[in-house]
Amino acid sequence: MKKSLLLLMVIFAVNMFAAFYSTEEWELIEETPGHAEMMQYVAETTDGNYVAVGGYTDDGYFDNAFLKKVNSAGTVLWTQTYDDFGQIIYVESTPSGFIFSTAGALHWTNSAGVIISSTPYNFPVAAISKTSNGYILLDNSQSSVGYFRIKRVNELGNPMWLYYEEDTFGQVQEYNYRCIDWDGEHDMDDHGVMIDSGSSITQTADGGFIITGWTYQGDGGGANLYLVKTDSQGEVLWEKGLGEGYIQNGLSVIEDSDGNFVIAGVGGTSNGEKAMMMKTDPSGNLIWNKLFGYGKFHRIIESSTGGYLTVGKYEDWNDQGYLYIVRTDIAGNTDWSDFTYYDGIYGASYHCMEDSGGNYVYCGWSDPDYYHIGTSNTYMAKYSEVEDLEIVVNNILPFEPDWETAYEINLGEDQTMHFEIDAFDPDGTDLTYEWYINWEMPVSTSSSFDFTLDTEIGEQYSVTLNVNDGFSTRDGERSNLYYEWMINIVESTVTAPQNLTVEITQTDVNLHWDEVAGASKYNIYSSANSETGFTFAGEVTGASTTYWNEPLISEKKFYRVTAE
């Protein structure tokens, strides 16, 4: 098959797609000789720095707590410790100091972290979230009776709810919490194991609460993700069991700015557990469910620029964990991600936040020897983020290569091939181009390139194009374009059309040429330049169809015809 020029234009709609890219500003790994530490929560302070809390242990039980102040550059300014407190699971900054929560009480400190006062909950807390006028607490201690509890307290830590119900003996009892479980039956599985477990609770825009965890509904199946919506008094409005076939466990839930609920956690597969994100509408109906790398997500937030940020643990094939952070768009598609596998840092991340400058800070623990007392360290990292509009492509010549459908070109040994791309960067940056033959030194740095080598039948050549908008990130060029075509040199069997004539009337342009024996069709190309820029204008089939026309326009045009 012979083509004097092989030209085909593919047209794309011009859409502006934005992408976000990250740069790690700093990484804090604080060694703690003699004991292990684990950061559980991080918040921005009123003076623009950070406060991080968690627990430490000398014997593996993490029954001691710490509070660290870290400056905006990632340096620990001071550390306050609290023996026999258990872990601190929540902290916030105030103008005069800090408020933090352990499993048993709410504590107030001065600016140096020294405790001034405390209010006991009389209620073992597994999760806590700030509300409009206090806090909402979640307790998972009632495994023996198959439910979890929620309790609302004011800004001083005192109960806000009070209920009276009859117990099984007909006696009226006073309660300051609500019990939550699937269908309200306090069911147990066949082994007496708790069926319903809560992991995360947060207040919603209507004043109520959204809760996630997991629920087991028997029959030998896995656990479903449990999503519960309550009113402001903790009364269940609806509940959903989401996920099928394998374990689905919600570990963190938020209500986003659209009123939807987004859950992060773990999703089971036939090959193991993977980090999972799930999105539902305001009624708890599933919108999408996404799985990521092996491991789990512990925390999710909504970004101020749209989309979500989630952190957790990435696990390799040896079941060793690494700190894991993923940024997605509103559909759950990854914008960027990072984990400490390539740095050889084992660990897990438990909490993340966006500071007032739009940076992301997350925390957890790290360990060069994978969680051994004496080597487990506190971990924090800060990421900045920038937005980049993706390169827009108007057309590609001879065609856009696709390794699934089309990327090979058969070219006669005496033929040339014209390659060209028409693209631009919506950010206004000048694009750079690099054309390669067989991956060697660039043969052209313009937007077009003509393949004109002396070739022999049977040879094969790779033509590649890199388009770069100059946007550099921590993980390399993310908005580059890359194309590759494979050219096969074959014997020419069809000659090019001869005696092309152009006839112009008042309304049309008419082309005529000599018939080429053996041709199956003719391709017509036009350009405003006699040498370059030819684009596909049309085609006619059959060797004897040797004419073509188009409406006359005011611009001067040049034409070429090829035979196949």
Side-chain angles (χ1 to χ4, degrees), residues 216 273 309 378 457:
Y216 176 75
E273 295 181 347
L309 185 84
T378 54
I457 295 173

Side-chain angles (χ1 to χ4, degrees), residues 443-513:
V443 294
S444 175
T445 56
S446 71
S447 60
S448 62
F449 160 68
D450 289 311
F451 182 88
T452 58
L453 295 180
D454 291 331
T455 59
E456 294 183 3
I457 295 173
E459 293 179 334
Q460 188 176 66
Y461 296 87
S462 168
V463 175
T464 56
L465 167 64
N466 284 322
V467 184
N468 186 352
D469 70 356
F471 187 84
S472 179
T473 74
R474 180 172 182 264
D475 294 328
E477 294 295 343
R478 304 286 193 93
S479 51
N480 286 358
L481 299 178
Y482 174 82
Y483 301 99
E484 182 174 4
W485 298 263
M486 297 301 297
I487 297 180
N488 303 309
I489 305 302
V490 298
E491 182 179 0
S492 298
T493 59
V494 180
T495 60
Q498 301 296 314
N499 299 320
L500 174 63
T501 61
V502 179
E503 177 187 3
I504 300 176
T505 69
Q506 291 183 344
T507 58
D508 296 307
V509 175
N510 300 293
L511 277 70
H512 299 272
W513 56 88

Side-chain angles (χ1 to χ4, degrees), residues 485-562:
W485 298 263
M486 297 301 297
I487 297 180
N488 303 309
I489 305 302
V490 298
E491 182 179 0
S492 298
T493 59
V494 180
T495 60
Q498 301 296 314
N499 299 320
L500 174 63
T501 61
V502 179
E503 177 187 3
I504 300 176
T505 69
Q506 291 183 344
T507 58
D508 296 307
V509 175
N510 300 293
L511 277 70
H512 299 272
W513 56 88
D514 292 346
E515 180 178 341
V516 176
S520 61
K521 70 173 182 177
Y522 302 98
N523 298 314
I524 298 90
Y525 304 90
S526 64
S527 173
N529 185 294
S530 62
E531 298 296 329
T532 63
F534 282 85
T535 59
F536 183 76
E539 66 179 32
V540 294
T541 57
S544 61
T545 307
T546 59
Y547 60 89
W548 178 86
N549 73 312
E550 69 173 354
L552 179 66
I553 61 174
S554 59
E555 297 177 1
K556 184 177 181 180
K557 298 178 72 173
F558 297 87
Y559 293 88
R560 289 181 180 178
V561 178
T562 66

Side-chain angles (χ1 to χ4, degrees), residues 311-326:
V311 297
K313 180 174 71 168
Y314 175 89
E315 293 181 350
D316 66 11
W317 51 90
N318 293 318
D319 293 327
Q320 293 177 324
Y322 304 87
L323 293 106
Y324 193 25
I325 180 170
V326 177

Side-chain angles (χ1 to χ4, degrees), residues 41-62:
Y41 202 100
V42 61
E44 188 173 15
T45 59
T46 56
D47 60 1
N49 294 306
Y50 307 103
V51 57
V53 295
Y56 71 92
T57 180
D58 299 320
D59 54 17
Y61 291 103
F62 285 94

Side-chain angles (χ1 to χ4, degrees), residues 14-332:
V14 180
N15 294 314
M16 304 298 182
F17 294 102
F20 293 93
Y21 306 106
S22 68
T23 299
E24 186 182 81
E25 297 294 327
W26 49 257
E27 182 180 61
L28 167 63
I29 301 176
E30 187 181 30
E31 296 183 2
T32 53
H35 64 264
E37 288 191 356
M38 182 184 299
M39 279 186 178
Q40 294 275 32
Y41 202 100
V42 61
E44 188 173 15
T45 59
T46 56
D47 60 1
N49 294 306
Y50 307 103
V51 57
V53 295
Y56 71 92
T57 180
D58 299 320
D59 54 17
Y61 291 103
F62 285 94
D63 49 3
N64 307 303
F66 67 82
L67 184 151
K68 297 178 186 288
K69 187 167 184 182
V70 181
N71 70 15
S72 59
T75 301
V76 176
L77 300 177
W78 50 260
T79 300
Q80 186 69 251
T81 59
Y82 313 94
D83 292 342
D84 300 321
F85 262 57
Q87 295 189 58
I88 300 177
I89 58 175
Y90 170 85
V91 68
E92 64 182 272
S93 175
T94 70
S96 59
F98 306 98
I99 302 173
F100 70 79
S101 176
T102 60
L106 196 63
H107 305 271
W108 288 260
T109 81
N110 63 16
S111 59
V114 177
I115 293 176
I116 299 171
S117 64
S118 304
T119 300
Y121 296 131
N122 299 315
F123 185 91
V125 175
I128 177 175
S129 179
K130 192 173 180 64
T131 67
S132 57
N133 58 353
Y135 306 91
I136 185 72
L137 315 175
L138 186 149
D139 162 38
N140 257 333
S141 67
Q142 302 302 302
S143 59
S144 61
V145 288
Y147 61 88
F148 60 89
R149 305 183 298 174
I150 61 174
K151 180 179 181 179
R152 189 169 185 178
V153 298
N154 62 20
E155 294 177 344
L156 299 178
N158 299 314
M160 295 178 64
W161 292 338
L162 192 60
Y163 308 102
Y164 298 92
E165 295 182 4
E166 286 190 3
D167 61 19
T168 55
F169 302 102
Q171 300 295 315
V172 176
Q173 301 292 337
E174 182 180 281
Y175 301 93
N176 58 19
Y177 56 82
R178 291 287 194 185
C179 297
I180 306 289
D181 77 321
W182 183 266
D183 70 21
E185 296 296 327
H186 295 206
D187 298 322
M188 307 294 297
D189 69 9
D190 295 336
H191 304 286
V193 176
M194 167 182 187
I195 287 183
D196 301 311
S197 171
S199 300
S200 174
I201 184 170
T202 188
Q203 190 171 38
T204 53
D206 62 3
F209 302 96
I210 188 72
I211 310 166
T212 193
W214 63 272
T215 180
Y216 176 75
Q217 299 178 36
D219 299 326
N224 288 339
L225 185 145
Y226 193 21
L227 190 66
V228 186
K229 180 68 174 72
T230 79
D231 63 16
S232 61
Q233 299 301 308
E235 288 279 5
V236 174
L237 299 177
W238 52 257
E239 57 186 354
K240 299 280 187 176
L242 302 171
E244 297 179 357
Y246 299 97
I247 291 174
Q248 302 280 329
N249 189 0
L251 299 178
S252 179
V253 62
I254 59 171
E255 180 185 35
D256 69 11
S257 54
D258 294 326
N260 299 310
F261 301 120
V262 189
I263 307 105
V266 58
T269 71
S270 59
N271 296 319
E273 295 181 347
K274 288 190 173 183
M276 175 273 298
M277 283 179 61
M278 184 182 293
K279 188 173 187 175
T280 78
D281 66 16
S283 298
N285 300 307
L286 184 65
I287 297 176
W288 49 255
N289 187 3
K290 302 279 180 119
L291 295 177
F292 296 79
Y294 287 101
K296 64 184 64 175
F297 288 137
H298 288 118
R299 179 75 175 185
I300 188 168
I301 61 172
E302 184 177 18
S303 170
S304 63
T305 53
Y308 313 103
L309 185 84
T310 185
V311 297
K313 180 174 71 168
Y314 175 89
E315 293 181 350
D316 66 11
W317 51 90
N318 293 318
D319 293 327
Q320 293 177 324
Y322 304 87
L323 293 106
Y324 193 25
I325 180 170
V326 177
R327 168 73 152 91
T328 76
D329 62 17
I330 61 173

